[in-house]
């Protein structure tokens, strides 16, 4: 089987980039031909099986849909793992052979944008959801938000990422201990600041 994985950027050091490389290796070890297509221009750290559309911004996908449609015609399976490109790229992808993987909370991600951009992207994302694409969500809270607005989705599934698991009371015997928790990263959704805020909120409420 010929597989293609779409990601916005493979060069940066993030969770989606690591996931992309690992899942590509898994597919290859299962006997499949695997290519990675990046949306944005790449400078370094690019795998041999990777090619790029060479765009400067994700929204430019809208002007290259014909090219993307031609690319995917050569593949049997399509995996899209960058949630921020779903709303642009889904228009030309075959629903019968495409899986979308959302690792974050799209509503939180879009809330950080400027007002005009937020409105535009939210509308496009709602169109994406209404098409009932095969969507894997790794954030349970995000799934609940989506299902509140779209109750008739049948192709949306949860495969939890442990980082997003709700706080559990299984550490109750140790609550007399005090811990200092610190994290170091850029304060952006791309680096998981929504996860940090959830963790810190849980700690503040429980201890």
């Amino acid at each position: 089987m010929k597989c293609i994985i779409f990601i916005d950027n493979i060069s940066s050091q993030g969770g989606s980039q690591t996931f992309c490389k690992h899942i590509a290796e898994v597919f290859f070890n299962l006997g499949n031909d695997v290519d990675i297509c990046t949306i944005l221009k790449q400078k370094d750290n690019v795998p041999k099986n990777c090619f790029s559309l060479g765009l400067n911004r994700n929204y430019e996908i809208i002007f290259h849909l014909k090219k993307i449609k031609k690319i995917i015609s050569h593949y049997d399976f399509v995996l899209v793992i960058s949630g921020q490109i779903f709303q642009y790229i889904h228009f030309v992808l075959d629903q019968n052979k495409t899986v979308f993987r959302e690792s974050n909370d799209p509503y939180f991600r879009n809330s950080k944008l400027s007002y005009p951009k937020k409105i535009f992207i939210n509308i496009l994302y709602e169109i994406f959801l209404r098409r009932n694409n095969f969507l894997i969500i790794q954030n349970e809270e995000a799934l609940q938000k989506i299902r509140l607005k779209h109750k008739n989705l049948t192709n949306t599934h949860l495969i939890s990422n442990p980082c997003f698991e709700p706080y559990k009371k299984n550490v109750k015997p140790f609550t007399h201990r005090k811990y200092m928790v610190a994290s170091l990263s850029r304060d952006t959704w791309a680096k998981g600041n929504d996860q940090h805020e959830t963790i810190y909120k849980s700690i503040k409420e429980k201890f």
Side-chain angles (χ1 to χ4, degrees), residues 87-193:
Q87 63 266 19
Y88 308 123
I89 200 172
H90 75 95
F91 291 106
V92 293
L93 300 185
D94 185 343
Q95 289 181 297
N96 295 315
K97 65 178 185 181
T98 303
V99 172
F100 297 85
R101 171 253 187 189
E102 176 65 81
S103 60
N104 292 297
D105 181 341
Y107 296 111
F108 179 87
R109 177 174 64 228
N110 296 340
S111 69
K112 301 297 181 178
L113 302 173
S114 63
Y115 184 75
K117 191 174 182 179
K118 178 171 63 176
I119 295 299
F120 174 67
I121 289 181
N122 280 342
I123 290 173
L124 290 181
Y125 201 92
E126 292 303 309
I127 294 172
F128 160 75
L129 290 173
R130 288 173 185 171
R131 288 192 69 202
N132 199 24
N133 293 286
F134 195 101
L135 174 62
I136 294 175
I137 302 280
Q138 291 195 273
N139 184 324
E140 186 174 353
E141 186 176 328
L143 179 62
Q144 292 173 356
K145 290 180 183 178
I146 289 173
R147 285 183 170 166
L148 278 175
K149 299 185 69 174
H150 302 273
K151 301 182 184 301
N152 297 321
L153 295 180
T154 57
N155 284 328
T156 302
H157 309 276
L158 176 68
I159 299 181
S160 293
N161 182 331
C163 295
F164 298 108
E165 283 299 306
Y167 176 84
K168 301 292 194 307
K169 294 183 178 180
N170 56 359
V171 294
K172 189 173 181 180
F174 306 100
T175 54
H176 64 281
R177 299 180 181 178
K178 293 184 178 180
Y179 298 90
M180 181 176 290
V181 180
S183 59
L184 179 63
S185 180
R186 285 185 287 127
D187 187 27
T188 63
W189 63 261
K191 293 302 177 184
N193 63 349

